[in-house]
Amino acid sequence: MSRLHASLLLSSALILGSVSAHAALPDEATLYKNPQCGCCDAYARHLEELGVEVTIVDDVELGDIKQQAGVPYGLGSCHTIEMGEYWIEGHVPMEAVQALFEQQPDIDGIGLAGMPIGTPGMPGPQEAPYNVYAFTDQEDAPFMTLAP
């Protein structure tokens, strides 16, 4: 096999790998938020840039949505997303969202408490590790840590 042939084969594999990572995301999502929260709209735009059609719902009681989703008490954020078979709580970085849909674990969803700087929708550089948690029935467990 020629060096050019091998390079083209490797390049094709890398491109297909990157496409399949994005292909793992569902086509649609519903984002529940407070009507005044602009950072939630920015997160929705970020998902849309990845090809996800986002419906924004800002006229519901967020506490009820979080309870329905199974988000653990005290680990909430400003928005909750229903996406495929999972819930995503807060400004979870896309690396973790893509890992969720690639791995498809038997959980209700993943979350990132608060509104950390440097996450999608929250401008600025990442200042500390993001401790993304998995949750089921209001119980949490570590999912992944994303270092700065």
Side-chain angles (χ1 to χ4, degrees):
M1 180 181 284
S2 74
R3 192 182 284 187
L4 176 61
H5 216 215
S7 294
L8 287 173
L9 195 58
L10 179 60
S11 296
S12 297
L14 291 173
I15 289 169
L16 286 174
S18 68
V19 169
S20 68
H22 290 292
L25 293 178
D27 295 333
E28 300 176 345
T30 302
L31 187 144
Y32 300 93
K33 70 178 203 73
N34 179 302
Q36 289 80 32
C37 193
C39 65
C40 302
D41 294 327
Y43 194 93
R45 284 190 301 275
H46 189 74
L47 285 172
E48 290 169 340
E49 289 170 2
L50 295 174
V52 178
E53 184 178 320
V54 180
T55 301
I56 296 176
V57 179
D58 59 10
D59 61 352
V60 297
E61 175 53 48
L62 280 178
D64 293 344
I65 295 296
K66 291 180 189 311
Q67 186 170 10
Q68 177 186 342
V71 175
Y73 181 78
L75 292 179
S77 185
C78 54
H79 63 261
T80 304
I81 300 170
E82 189 173 10
M83 192 172 185
E85 300 294 318
Y86 294 105
W87 295 91
I88 298 161
E89 178 63 18
H91 292 267
V92 177
M94 288 304 117
E95 182 179 345
V97 173
Q98 289 173 340
L100 171 69
F101 287 101
E102 288 169 4
Q103 297 170 15
Q104 297 186 4
D106 186 19
I107 59 175
D108 290 340
I110 59 173
L112 182 61
M115 300 165 65
I117 299 297
T119 56
M122 297 298 298
Q126 181 179 355
E127 298 175 349
Y130 301 139
N131 295 312
V132 179
Y133 62 91
F135 61 88
T136 300
D137 296 327
Q138 278 86 31
E139 295 293 326
D140 66 285
F143 181 69
M144 71 186 319
T145 299
L146 301 169

